Amino acid sequence: MAVLIATLVAVVSQGFASDVSPAVVNATPRLEAHVEEALGRFSALALPEPTLEAVVFDPDDEFCQRYVGRYTFTTRTALICFDADDMLLGSDEVLHPKEERVLLHEFAHAWTDQFTTAAERQAFMALHGVGSWNGQDDRWHERGIEIAADTFAWVLSGRDEPPRHLASIDPAVLLDGFEMLTGIRV
């Protein structure tokens, strides 16, 4: 947590503009490249890249005892709960599909925060039959924000089959939701 706070202070004091790459903390050059590659997936689909102030790799963060990542809206910071020392394939050269999904999922939270309207979110929630965008009393899979981030991660990864936790949703509906939020049909 101290690393995260120090990073945020440094980012704010340097006055990063929105068109500057995020500060990447506790990362090897290859992990930094993976961040850039993940962000590039948005522009590859003609979507603006989300603005992130920092991407922090810190599997020792207390939050990581229960979760694999987190996006903090107020600071535009993505916490990623792995680093080069504990990557699933034993190397930072290639991301395991689960690690790729974490990056894309957290970056999708930034994107939907920055580029969707309340009306688009409402329509997305109606499409998926969920009652809230990010209701803290709702279970994770019943939040529009989480379905949206997982849909983005699936589309941006280019994988054929949706991940297991989206398997109960027809892929055509997932693509409709992606189009609803982005205006892009894939």
Side-chain angles (χ1 to χ4, degrees), residues 160-177:
D160 292 331
E161 296 295 319
R164 188 176 63 234
H165 48 280
L166 293 179
S168 65
I169 304 171
D170 182 336
V173 172
L174 293 172
L175 294 175
D176 288 346

Side-chain angles (χ1 to χ4, degrees), residues 1 4 61 63 67-72 77-81 102 106 109:
M1 189 61 150
L4 177 60
D61 187 283
F63 184 84
Y67 302 98
V68 295
R70 172 181 63 197
Y71 176 71
T72 304
T77 300
L79 169 66
I80 308 300
C81 295
V102 170
E106 299 310 328
H109 282 313

